[in-house]
Amino acid sequence: EIYRRLGGKTPLHGIMERQAQNLQTLLNQRRYEGTEFRVFPANRYGNPSLQSVLTAIRNEGYDYVLVLSMYPF
């Protein structure tokens, strides 16, 4: 019943995407020492998977990676 009222799917993916975009925008507005930030959202039990995101990060050749877990404990 709840998912039906939400359009048939969980709203978490859209929320995660907006949080990631907002964080990226905020970080890049501050321009820490000229660094450009890119935020890659990932899911433990869904898509995009953590493994696929880590592979994409490696393939893009980033020198530094900061992992921030937003899982509700």
Side-chain angles (χ1 to χ4, degrees), residues 5-6 13-14 18 20 22 28 35 40-41 45 48 52 58 66:
R5 286 189 272 159
L6 295 173
H13 183 72
R18 286 190 302 278
N22 289 338
N28 284 314
T35 301
F40 294 86
Y45 299 112
S52 68
R58 184 180 59 232
L66 171 68

Side-chain angles (χ1 to χ4, degrees), residues 40-43 46-60:
F40 294 86
N43 292 293
N47 289 313
S49 70
L50 184 57
Q51 184 61 48
S52 68
V53 169
L54 291 174
T55 299
I57 291 169
R58 184 180 59 232
N59 290 343
E60 291 195 29

Side-chain angles (χ1 to χ4, degrees), residues 1 4 12 16 21 24 27 30-31 34 47 51 56 58-59 64 66:
E1 174 65 24
R4 184 184 61 74
L12 295 178
M16 179 187 67
Q21 184 59 51
Q24 181 171 302
L27 290 170
R30 298 189 186 262
R31 289 285 181 198
N47 289 313
Q51 184 61 48
R58 184 180 59 232
N59 290 343
Y64 300 97
L66 171 68

